[in-house]
């Protein structure tokens, strides 16, 4: 594996899921694999699970870890090509990446959608610069359009919790929120589930359809109750409008997930990437109930990261 920014970078999804589950059984399976090598974790945005799980995964492999909270601790970065830097920005992203090339064997970066320019976000204006200028493997810790390490953890979690012979019905359901939220988790989950042996349905209100480049031909239902019927897994997540970019069209129906809504499912297991706004996106009774596998999902972030880091190291060590 030369980089990791989407499911297309994974040669065999089932194999990497299997590897992650083996790592979960023994996290110190390869304690010296990263010896003498350094991973730079660059955060342009806030993080809890991604930051900590990546650090644990790297430690388990013996990697040296440099963590940079770039938005708070680095110079103000300039991202525009040809910029005349006579304002607040002090360092161009090209120069920062070139320095990271000198210090790191792997660069992992977290860069959210700006939610201002649809064109900039769809074209990954920040991540694309890391891919263009980095001379070492680049790993996405979430970008404007995708969250691949989260999605791999989601695949691991579903695999762990499904032992039946028939395909599980998986519902990605929109949830309410107090502010416009980016599309990365929803896009990524839809993309990865299309590589899994599942029946995927997306439920969201009118005006909230995700980018067709990610959802392809997945059935989209604008009635949550209809979509939830007989579901085996329910993935709860908010996102803003894609067509009327970053807006929040009015929704009159109640889309918060409750135990009453779960009654029509097949004892559906509830998932969420976290952080979650309790009693807005889903109720306390669901979050803390026996159907919730949300914390298991969060723990699996360690093993998704470790499996990916291990694959990247395989490529580096073979040179």
């Amino acid at each position: 594996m030369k980089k990791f920014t989407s499911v297309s970078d994974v040669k065999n999804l089932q194999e990497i899921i299997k590897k992650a589950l083996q790592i979960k059984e023994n996290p110190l399976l390869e304690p010296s694999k990263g010896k003498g090598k350094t991973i730079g974790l660059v955060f342009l945005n806030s993080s809890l699970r991604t930051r900590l799980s990546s650090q644990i995964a790297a430690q388990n492999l013996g990697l040296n870890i440099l963590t940079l909270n770039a938005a708070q601790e680095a110079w103000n970065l300039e991202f525009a090509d040809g910029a005349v830097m006579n304002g607040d920005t002090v360092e161009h992203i090209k120069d920062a990446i070139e320095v990271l090339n000198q210090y790191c064997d792997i660069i992992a970066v977290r860069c959210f959608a700006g939610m201002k320019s649809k064109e900039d976000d769809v074209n990954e204006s920040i991540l694309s610069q890391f891919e263009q200028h980095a001379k070492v493997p680049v790993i996405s810790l979430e970008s404007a359009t995708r969250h691949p390490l989260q999605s791999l953890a989601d695949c691991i979690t579903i695999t762990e919790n499904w032992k039946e012979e028939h395909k599980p019905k998986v519902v990605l359901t929109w949830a309410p929120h107090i502010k416009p939220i980016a599309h990365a988790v929803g896009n990524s989950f839809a993309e990865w589930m299309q590589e899994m042996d599942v029946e995927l349905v997306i439920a969201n209100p009118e005006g909230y359809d995700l980018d067709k480049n990610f959802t392809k031909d997945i059935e989209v239902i604008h009635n949550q109750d209809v979509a939830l019927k007989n579901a085996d897994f329910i993935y709860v997540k908010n996102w803003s409008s894609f067509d009327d970019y970053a807006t929040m069209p009015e929704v009159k129906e109640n889309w918060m997930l409750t135990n009453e809504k779960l009654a029509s499912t097949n004892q559906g297991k509830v998932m969420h990437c976290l952080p979650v706004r309790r009693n807005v996106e889903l109720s306390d009774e669901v979050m803390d109930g026996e159907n919730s596998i949300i914390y298991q999902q969060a723990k699996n972030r360690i093993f998704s990261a470790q499996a990916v880091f291990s694959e990247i190291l395989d490529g580096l060590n073979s040179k």
Side-chain angles (χ1 to χ4, degrees):
M1 187 184 291
K2 296 182 179 179
K3 67 183 181 75
F4 183 78
T5 61
S6 76
V7 71
S8 63
D9 295 316
V10 177
K11 289 183 179 179
N12 187 313
L13 178 55
Q14 290 304 313
E15 283 300 313
I16 200 167
I17 291 171
K18 181 180 177 181
K19 179 169 187 168
L21 290 171
Q22 289 172 341
I23 291 169
K24 188 171 184 176
E25 288 291 320
N26 180 9
L28 297 179
L29 190 65
E30 304 170 308
S32 301
K33 194 168 196 176
K35 184 177 180 180
K37 290 187 168 56
T38 298
I39 185 169
L41 305 176
V42 182
F43 292 89
L44 278 73
N45 302 99
S46 302
S47 178
L48 189 154
R49 279 147 298 278
T50 300
R51 181 191 306 269
L52 298 183
S53 62
S54 296
Q55 289 176 335
I56 294 168
Q59 287 172 354
N60 288 344
L61 291 164
L63 280 159
N64 299 318
I65 304 164
L66 299 178
T67 302
L68 176 64
N69 301 312
Q72 292 83 34
E73 299 171 352
W75 299 110
N76 288 343
L77 292 169
E78 175 62 59
F79 295 96
D81 284 337
V84 178
M85 292 174 56
N86 58 359
D88 293 336
T89 56
V90 178
E91 184 161 30
H92 200 282
I93 188 64
K94 290 192 289 188
D95 302 322
I97 294 170
E98 185 54 46
V99 171
L100 289 169
N101 285 330
Q102 312 305 313
Y103 298 164
C104 304
D105 300 283
I106 303 168
I107 299 172
V109 59
R110 183 175 178 91
C111 48
F112 289 173
M115 303 295 285
K116 294 178 181 178
S117 166
K118 184 176 184 178
E119 181 180 5
D120 283 351
D121 290 345
V122 167
N123 292 324
E124 294 284 7
S125 61
I126 298 176
L127 180 64
S128 63
Q129 297 205 48
F130 278 85
E131 293 189 273
Q132 179 182 352
H133 300 297
K135 297 181 176 68
V136 300
V138 172
I139 295 172
S140 170
L141 301 177
E142 186 173 0
S143 68
T145 64
R146 294 179 172 96
H147 196 349
L149 284 177
Q150 176 65 59
S151 296
L152 176 53
D154 300 336
C155 293
I156 295 164
T157 307
I158 289 173
T159 300
E160 283 183 305
N161 285 277
W162 188 250
K163 306 302 179 187
E164 305 294 333
E165 292 186 2
H166 66 277
K167 289 184 181 182
K169 179 180 178 181
V170 179
V171 178
L172 170 62
T173 180
W174 181 91
H177 208 284
I178 65 168
K179 64 180 182 180
I181 298 294
H183 308 90
V185 173
N187 287 344
S188 200
F189 185 75
E191 197 169 49
W192 284 68
M193 285 298 106
Q194 290 173 80
E195 301 298 320
M196 293 278 284
D197 189 22
V198 303
E199 175 194 348
L200 178 62
V201 172
I202 299 176
N204 58 255
E206 297 278 358
Y208 285 90
D209 288 3
L210 290 165
D211 184 352
K212 279 284 187 183
N213 285 320
F214 295 96
T215 61
K216 306 295 183 183
D217 297 323
I218 298 168
E219 182 181 12
V220 178
I221 298 175
H222 296 129
N223 183 311
Q224 189 184 42
D225 293 333
V226 171
L228 289 176
K229 189 174 181 182
N230 298 322
D232 298 295
F233 295 91
I234 305 99
Y235 200 113
V236 180
K237 187 70 182 84
N238 175 266
W239 56 84
S240 55
S241 176
F242 177 74
D243 290 335
D244 190 6
Y245 195 68
T247 65
M248 299 173 66
E250 182 182 5
V251 177
K252 295 181 179 179
E253 301 85 2
N254 179 14
W255 281 72
M256 183 180 77
L257 190 65
T258 62
N259 275 349
E260 182 179 358
K261 292 185 177 184
L262 284 180
S264 67
T265 70
N266 184 26
Q267 295 293 311
K269 301 293 187 182
V270 178
M271 304 173 69
H272 192 289
C273 63
L274 296 176
V276 63
R277 288 186 179 262
R278 284 172 175 255
N279 302 308
V280 175
E281 295 177 80
L282 49 76
S283 63
D284 279 338
E285 63 184 7
V286 172
M287 184 72 192
D288 300 325
E290 61 183 14
N291 293 73
S292 173
I293 54 174
I294 292 170
Y295 298 132
Q296 177 185 353
Q297 186 183 357
K299 184 174 182 178
N300 283 336
R301 290 296 308 278
I302 298 170
F303 313 116
S304 67
Q306 193 166 332
V308 169
F309 295 174
S310 177
E311 291 285 302
I312 294 286
L313 285 169
D314 281 342
L316 292 175
N317 292 335
S318 66
K319 290 182 179 179

